[in-house]
Amino acid sequence: MVVEERVAGAGTDVLIRKVDSHLAALRAGLHGPELELAERLAACLRELVRQTAQSSAADRGQVRAAVHYFVLRRESRGRLLSVRSLAAAQRVVNKVVVQLDRPDLLVETRRDLLV
């Protein structure tokens, strides 16, 4: 049992480090609403990783996929970041949030908050 807890903790740490590392890189190139969205996505993903550390393999897999989607966006070119890619990551993260029944973690854009 102790081994399982260590493995879960190590996996959790790796995912959170990936999110944090990617966010640090984004901070160098993003400003304004795009950076705010990236920050909210990262915060949501960190919380999902923590909350599902002891959940089923299926739930952890969904969260891991969302983290990888956020970190490995294919639409970016070099240092330039496509805003569309952040919106796509937002859709993926929000889909996982809904599937895990955590509507409190939905990531909304500033525009969504005004409506």
Side-chain angles (χ1 to χ4, degrees):
M1 179 104 172
V2 174
V3 173
E4 289 180 22
E5 289 177 17
R6 287 182 186 162
V7 171
T12 299
D13 292 344
V14 168
L15 290 174
I16 290 175
R17 275 197 311 266
K18 284 184 180 201
V19 169
D20 289 343
S21 174
H22 186 62
L23 182 60
L26 291 177
R27 285 182 179 137
L30 292 179
H31 301 84
E34 292 83 17
L35 180 58
E36 291 174 21
L37 177 56
E39 296 270 0
R40 286 195 302 277
L41 286 167
C44 176
L45 287 168
R46 278 189 226 100
E47 185 62 23
L48 285 173
V49 168
R50 284 188 210 102
Q51 293 297 316
T52 59
Q54 301 301 321
S55 295
S56 70
D59 290 352
R60 291 190 320 270
Q62 287 182 18
V63 172
R64 188 172 44 257
V67 166
H68 289 148
Y69 193 88
F70 175 67
V71 171
L72 302 172
R73 287 178 334 280
R74 298 187 199 307
E75 294 93 357
S76 62
R77 299 279 185 254
R79 293 190 62 155
L80 299 176
L81 174 70
S82 168
V83 173
R84 185 179 74 193
S85 67
L86 281 176
Q90 179 186 16
R91 286 189 297 276
V92 169
V93 169
N94 282 342
K95 183 176 180 180
V96 171
V97 164
V98 168
Q99 289 175 344
L100 295 176
D101 197 26
R102 290 298 310 267
D104 57 306
L105 294 178
L106 281 171
V107 177
E108 298 177 343
T109 59
R110 187 185 304 181
R111 181 182 62 225
D112 295 337
L113 297 173
L114 296 175
V115 175

